[in-house]
């Protein structure tokens, strides 16, 4: 439906790149790939164990802070969206035997 498409559009690499440019952080070490890989690396076990739902939703904000995205960081909200709304696609990547954070992020387009 249209709402789902709008949410998925927010997951696009172009949107993540825009959010990265909007942050106060100016570091070559922080890019969409590194954010995605850190996030997937931190949250994949929970997603595999609990699937997509309330536990993953509750875990998302904590996971984003754990990888260094504080509440004032513009990437924090996008990070939560990647975990919550991207969860089905992450599980799809796992089902297709993408095993590493790098492979999963590549499958997601990051």
């Amino acid at each position: 439906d249209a709402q789902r498409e709008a949410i998925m559009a927010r997951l696009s690499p172009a949107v993540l790149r825009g959010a990265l440019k909007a942050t106060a952080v100016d570091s070559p070490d922080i890019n969409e790939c590194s954010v995605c890989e850190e996030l997937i690396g931190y949250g994949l076990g929970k997603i595999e164990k609990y699937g997509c739902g309330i536990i993953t939703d509750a875990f998302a904000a904590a996971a984003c802070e754990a990888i260094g995205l504080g509440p004032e960081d513009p990437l924090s909200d996008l990070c939560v969206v990647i975990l919550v709304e991207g969860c089905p696609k992450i599980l799809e990547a796992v089902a297709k035997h993408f095993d590493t954070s790098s492979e999963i992020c590549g499958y997601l387009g990051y």
Side-chain angles (χ1 to χ4, degrees), residues 4 9 13-14 16 19 21-24 28 31-32 45 48-49 51 60-61 67 77 82 85 96 101 106 110:
R4 180 98 176 131
L16 183 54
K21 288 178 185 173
T23 64
N31 58 56
E32 66 268 14
E48 288 177 314
K49 183 174 182 177
I67 67 165
D77 291 335
I82 289 172
E85 296 300 326
K96 291 183 177 191
S101 296
Y110 298 108

Side-chain angles (χ1 to χ4, degrees), residues 68-106:
L69 301 175
E72 272 82 49
D73 193 321
L75 283 177
S76 183
D77 291 335
L78 187 58
C79 175
V80 171
V81 170
I82 289 172
L83 262 184
V84 173
E85 296 300 326
C87 186
K89 191 145 175 107
I90 293 167
L91 286 176
E92 182 180 299
V94 171
K96 291 183 177 191
H97 305 289
F98 292 99
D99 299 320
T100 67
S101 296
S102 178
E103 290 173 336
I104 292 170
C105 290

Side-chain angles (χ1 to χ4, degrees), residues 6-75:
I7 290 169
M8 293 311 287
R10 289 188 289 175
L11 298 174
S12 74
V15 172
L16 183 54
R17 278 190 286 278
L20 281 164
K21 288 178 185 173
T23 64
V25 177
D26 185 20
S27 169
D29 297 330
I30 298 177
N31 58 56
E32 66 268 14
C33 183
S34 66
V35 170
C36 180
E37 287 180 8
E38 285 290 321
L39 179 60
I40 297 299
Y42 189 79
L44 186 59
K46 293 276 190 216
I47 291 172
E48 288 177 314
K49 183 174 182 177
Y50 299 108
C52 303
I54 193 163
I55 293 175
T56 305
D57 294 355
F59 170 76
C64 294
E65 286 197 26
I67 67 165
L69 301 175
E72 272 82 49
D73 193 321
L75 283 177

